[in-house]
Amino acid sequence: MSKITKIETFRVPPRWLMVRVETEDGIVGWGEATLEGHVESVEGAFEDLRERFIGYDSNRIEEIWQLAYRHRFYRGGPTLMSAISGLDIALWDIKGKRLGVPVYELLGGRVRDRINVYGWIGGDRPSNVQAAALERKKQGFTAVKMNATEALGWIDSPAKLDDTVERLRLVKETGIDAGLDFHGRVHKGMAKQLAKKLEVHSPLFIEEPLLPENVDGFKHLYGLTTCPIACGERLYTRWDCKPYFEAGCIDIIQPDIAHAGGISETKRIAEMAEAYDVALAPHCPLGPIALAASMHVGLSSQNFVIQEMSIGMHYNKLAKGGEYDLLTYCKNPSVFDVKNGAVEALTGPGLGVEVDEELVRRVSKDEGSWRNPVFYGSDGSILEW
């Protein structure tokens, strides 16, 4: 037995929430419980987790997960699942460090030697997306993701859809693949038009073409396009994913390991997806802990296809002017080097990432709360984010 003695959370720029768990034998594990725009709610959930699990045996990862999830009347949802995610990831990190093996060895061993990755290039507003794609290509990427459109009305100008098709054409002209993120901001009347128009340029996938609560809409759209359909960043458990699998309306599931119950639940989602011939492409515009955790699931999952990563995706820190990406808090950033569109398997014990704890503690002391921007249409109505 190795009891949990401390559970700490740290807000760090640009908008991430890191979790530090320490045991009585001095082993420290790191997790990530980022829920953009709602950091206070996750911090509140950790008050409950501390009461429950300080003094608990850190080895009993599955029991801790089940207690954290089931031993309450109200369960699931983004806040609780993000908190569980941060704790769960840290516990896997601790167990790997205790046993001296990478986490994927505890998940059955790896089925591949490297992880295919893609980078972000924006794309939702007029910009030189081709130049951005070429820059990613120089960084070693062979695939990117971009927003499909700016925020649209329920039925909007068809010309805006033509702009999207042209931006995809320009990116594909560089010789790399591109996925398009509709971000749930395109409603059904426009989404079915846009999906059809995009087919000529063969996108890698179209992501969240509709809001995630609209399973019937996904099913309808699925029969109208040959583009692979992806979703999952706003699904928090295997039970949230199950209706999509049963409806046969997606090709790629994209759980976010910082929201979807950590390594434990993301691995279960991956295995459930395989039974429905659905591929795994974890969502992760986050920090080094979440990325490493996602990679361990991908390395040990047969149906994994590609991993999102935020390397070089700089965020401006308001009031301080600094820039932060996933390498900022990492003492061994070379583990995330991108070569020929892939990152090599992590080999260190636990997650294989050395967190710069001194920096985390320093920058978190006066870190404020990030808030989602609000978008309005030309008529003053609120648009989807």
Side-chain angles (χ1 to χ4, degrees):
M1 177 182 289
S2 178
K3 293 181 180 179
I4 297 170
T5 56
K6 188 180 293 185
I7 300 173
E8 300 175 276
T9 59
F10 302 92
R11 299 184 196 182
V12 299
R15 57 192 189 211
W16 302 333
L17 186 68
M18 292 187 177
V19 180
R20 182 186 183 275
V21 178
E22 187 173 346
T23 65
E24 61 184 349
D25 50 354
I27 299 177
V28 172
W30 288 89
E32 191 168 339
T34 298
L35 184 62
E36 300 93 334
H38 304 282
V39 65
E40 297 93 343
S41 66
V42 181
E43 290 170 334
F46 266 99
E47 291 300 316
D48 171 67
L49 296 181
R50 288 188 188 94
E51 291 178 11
R52 291 172 184 266
F53 298 120
I54 287 181
Y56 214 91
D57 184 359
S58 64
N59 288 304
R60 303 179 75 162
I61 299 174
E62 182 63 17
E63 184 174 357
I64 289 172
W65 196 98
Q66 296 294 342
L67 275 172
Y69 180 79
R70 296 182 187 278
H71 205 255
R72 61 187 72 241
F73 188 74
Y74 299 102
R75 58 180 66 169
T79 296
L80 175 63
M81 296 311 297
S82 295
I84 291 175
S85 298
L87 178 60
D88 181 84
I89 293 167
L91 292 175
W92 281 102
D93 191 25
I94 287 170
K95 179 162 280 193
K97 288 173 178 175
R98 177 174 293 116
L99 299 176
V101 297
V103 166
Y104 57 72
E105 296 290 2
L106 306 177
L107 300 176
R110 68 186 197 222
V111 295
R112 56 182 49 82
D113 298 325
R114 59 196 61 85
I115 287 290
N116 291 329
V117 294
Y118 67 81
W120 177 258
I121 60 168
D124 55 341
R125 294 180 177 84
S127 60
N128 194 342
V129 291
Q130 191 172 65
L134 287 169
E135 181 62 27
R136 285 297 191 200
K137 193 172 183 179
K138 290 178 183 177
Q139 293 170 350
F141 289 95
T142 57
V144 296
K145 185 171 78 175
M146 54 194 284
N147 270 333
T149 70
E150 59 187 290
L152 298 178
W154 288 76
I155 299 294
D156 214 319
S157 171
K160 293 182 179 179
L161 305 185
D162 293 336
D163 290 343
T164 295
V165 176
E166 175 61 10
R167 288 195 295 271
L168 175 60
R169 184 193 70 79
L170 289 170
V171 171
K172 290 294 295 289
E173 199 174 68
T174 68
I176 62 177
D177 287 319
L180 279 90
D181 189 354
F182 286 40
H183 224 267
R185 59 173 53 159
V186 185
H187 298 278
K188 186 166 62 174
M190 302 295 286
K192 61 184 182 181
Q193 297 179 60
L194 183 53
K196 190 71 174 176
K197 287 174 175 287
L198 292 171
E199 287 181 350
V200 66
H201 296 303
S202 301
L204 191 61
F205 55 79
I206 57 174
E207 178 178 338
E208 273 199 342
L210 301 170
L211 290 167
E213 56 264 32
N214 193 355
V215 179
D216 288 340
F218 270 82
K219 189 173 182 178
H220 177 68
L221 181 63
Y222 193 86
L224 299 177
T225 181
T226 60
C227 298
I229 294 178
C231 82
E233 70 182 88
R234 288 188 273 188
L235 304 176
Y236 311 113
T237 67
R238 73 200 97 152
W239 296 283
D240 293 334
C241 298
K242 185 180 178 183
Y244 288 87
F245 297 153
E246 292 183 337
C249 61
I250 61 172
D251 303 289
I252 301 169
I253 190 70
Q254 299 172 303
D256 187 310
I257 208 160
H259 308 326
I263 291 171
S264 297
E265 187 70 355
T266 303
K267 180 65 174 174
R268 287 189 282 258
I269 290 169
E271 291 172 340
M272 180 184 282
E274 185 181 359
Y276 290 88
D277 200 24
V278 172
L280 174 71
H283 176 264
C284 191
L286 303 172
I289 302 165
L291 176 58
S294 298
M295 287 178 62
H296 284 281
V297 174
L299 286 163
S300 61
S301 299
Q302 181 62 30
N303 56 331
F304 169 85
V305 290
I306 199 163
Q307 172 67 55
E308 180 174 17
M309 65 185 301
S310 58
I311 185 172
M313 182 172 156
H314 295 294
Y315 305 84
N316 289 321
K317 172 108 170 64
L318 297 178
K320 293 186 180 178
E323 289 189 335
Y324 300 81
D325 73 1
L326 70 90
L327 302 183
T328 302
Y329 305 102
C330 189
K331 284 187 171 181
N332 56 338
S334 63
V335 298
F336 296 127
D337 285 350
V338 181
K339 297 177 182 178
N340 299 317
V343 176
E344 293 296 318
L346 301 160
T347 58
L351 293 177
V353 174
E354 298 174 25
V355 174
D356 188 340
E357 183 173 335
E358 180 183 350
L359 176 62
V360 168
R361 289 187 181 276
R362 185 171 72 248
V363 301
S364 70
K365 287 180 180 178
D366 57 349
E367 178 63 11
S369 300
W370 183 86
R371 293 290 183 257
N372 298 73
V374 180
F375 300 126
Y376 294 94
S378 58
D379 61 356
S381 62
I382 297 172
L383 300 177
E384 293 292 340
W385 195 67

